[in-house]
Amino acid sequence: MGRDSGEAGTALPHEYWAAEAGPSPPTSTLTEVCGSDSTPEGLRMLLLGALLLLLALPSHGQYTTQGPPLPKGACTGWMAGVPGHPGHNGTPGRDGRDGTRGEKGEKGDPGLVGPKGDTGETGITGTEGPRGFPGVPGRKGEPGESAYVFRSAFSVGLETRVTVPNVPIRFTKIFYNQQNHYDGTTGKFLCNIPGLYYFSYHITVYLKDVKVSLYKNDKALLFTHDQFQDRNVDQASGSVLLYLDKGDQVWLQVYEGENHNGVYADNVHDSTFTGFLLYHNIE
Ligand SMILES: [Ca+2]
């Protein structure tokens, strides 16, 4: 009640009346109460009446602005009491009801990227892919060093007719003799590589019969006989496989004398002798 603390000991201001008083009281009643009795008992009754009046007054607008002032002479002894002390604070009120649900807020910013997860299990093996293109051919390999050791071959022929029987025929027309295992000066092949050899000969027969043998180390192993037909050119041939040891010699030779020496050769007729290693001895 601070509004009346500054006016203690004096008449209540008009604002007090404006805030607390009710409607303007009937003048006749107030005059009647104040003027009929001025004794202490009467004063007490007057204060009581004033209090009831304050409680009963519903409005004051007319009283404060239009109503006549209080009669001074009749209520000079009525004075306001000393304002009381402020009251104690009341007990706290109950909690209010929950408010209404607010509107949904805006979508927030994306969160930070989380840590990398663990490695997953191995997947299933896929299907086989298409066949690739052929690769580039590799380089040619180097020749083996031991290959030459197992090479032995010759192919030779007559340059002129044979005139001497019972001796090795000397073939001096060389078609091939790279290893020089055949000796043109003796007409003999000398074995340098043990193994299986193939020999063949093709003889042109002219003017006389032919009896020719293939010799191995002074022993005739193969015999070929062709009878000459007059006014004709015949051929005699033979071939054989022989196993030779190193140092063995092989050659052709006419046997039985001059009457069977029809071995012939010129520019357009050849008589040849050929031999080569088929398998070398690997034992
Ligand atoms: Ca014949």
Side-chain angles (χ1 to χ4, degrees):
M1 304 299 283
R3 64 169 58 101
D4 56 355
S5 61
E7 300 296 335
T10 61
L12 290 175
H14 290 173
E15 289 79 2
Y16 179 85
W17 294 105
E20 300 294 339
S24 177
T27 304
S28 59
T29 304
L30 185 59
T31 304
E32 203 175 82
V33 172
C34 293
S36 62
D37 196 353
S38 59
T39 62
E41 182 66 22
L43 179 60
R44 190 160 48 244
M45 293 301 295
L46 180 62
L47 289 174
L48 181 58
L51 180 60
L52 293 176
L53 183 62
L54 289 174
L55 294 176
L57 287 175
S59 174
H60 65 279
Q62 293 178 350
Y63 176 79
T64 56
T65 57
Q66 298 176 358
L70 290 174
K72 295 180 181 179
C75 297
T76 53
W78 178 60
M79 297 178 63
V82 177
H85 297 285
H88 299 287
N89 293 333
T91 58
R94 294 180 300 177
D95 294 340
R97 290 180 297 178
D98 295 338
T100 58
R101 186 179 181 86
E103 297 180 355
K104 185 176 181 180
E106 298 179 355
K107 186 174 182 179
D109 296 331
L112 300 176
V113 178
K116 184 177 182 180
D118 298 332
T119 302
E121 296 179 357
T122 303
I124 301 173
T125 302
T127 58
E128 184 177 1
R131 184 183 179 87
F133 295 104
V136 179
R139 295 181 301 172
K140 185 176 181 180
E142 298 294 333
E145 295 185 358
S146 62
Y148 178 78
V149 178
F150 305 108
R151 289 179 179 176
S152 181
F154 71 95
S155 186
V156 294
L158 283 179
E159 292 183 286
T160 60
R161 63 169 298 189
V162 177
T163 57
V164 180
N166 304 319
V167 295
I169 302 174
R170 295 173 55 244
F171 296 88
T172 56
K173 186 175 182 179
I174 307 299
F175 298 106
Y176 179 86
N177 190 27
Q178 186 169 340
Q179 294 83 37
N180 286 315
H181 292 171
Y182 170 79
D183 186 355
T185 61
T186 62
K188 296 180 179 178
F189 169 78
L190 178 63
C191 176
N192 288 264
I193 302 170
L196 186 64
Y197 285 81
Y198 175 80
F199 295 97
S200 70
Y201 51 89
H202 299 273
I203 304 299
T204 298
V205 180
Y206 187 54
L207 300 178
K208 295 180 181 178
D209 293 349
V210 166
K211 287 188 177 178
V212 64
S213 286
L214 183 138
Y215 281 72
K216 173 186 174 183
N217 298 336
D218 299 326
K219 182 178 181 180
L221 298 181
L222 193 64
F223 298 88
T224 300
H225 180 197
D226 181 77
Q227 292 181 315
F228 175 69
Q229 304 295 324
D230 191 15
R231 304 175 63 85
N232 209 336
V233 175
D234 289 343
Q235 288 80 31
S237 63
S239 63
V240 68
L241 282 173
L242 295 177
Y243 180 84
L244 302 180
D245 291 315
K246 186 174 181 179
D248 287 342
Q249 290 180 314
V250 177
W251 67 89
L252 286 178
Q253 182 174 313
V254 174
Y255 63 93
E256 292 188 358
E258 184 61 28
N259 292 333
H260 297 88
N261 189 16
V263 177
Y264 182 82
D266 60 22
N267 294 335
V268 292
H269 299 84
D270 278 311
S271 292
T272 62
F273 179 36
T274 298
F276 55 84
L277 175 65
L278 187 61
Y279 298 117
H280 74 279
N281 185 9
I282 59 175
E283 293 177 356

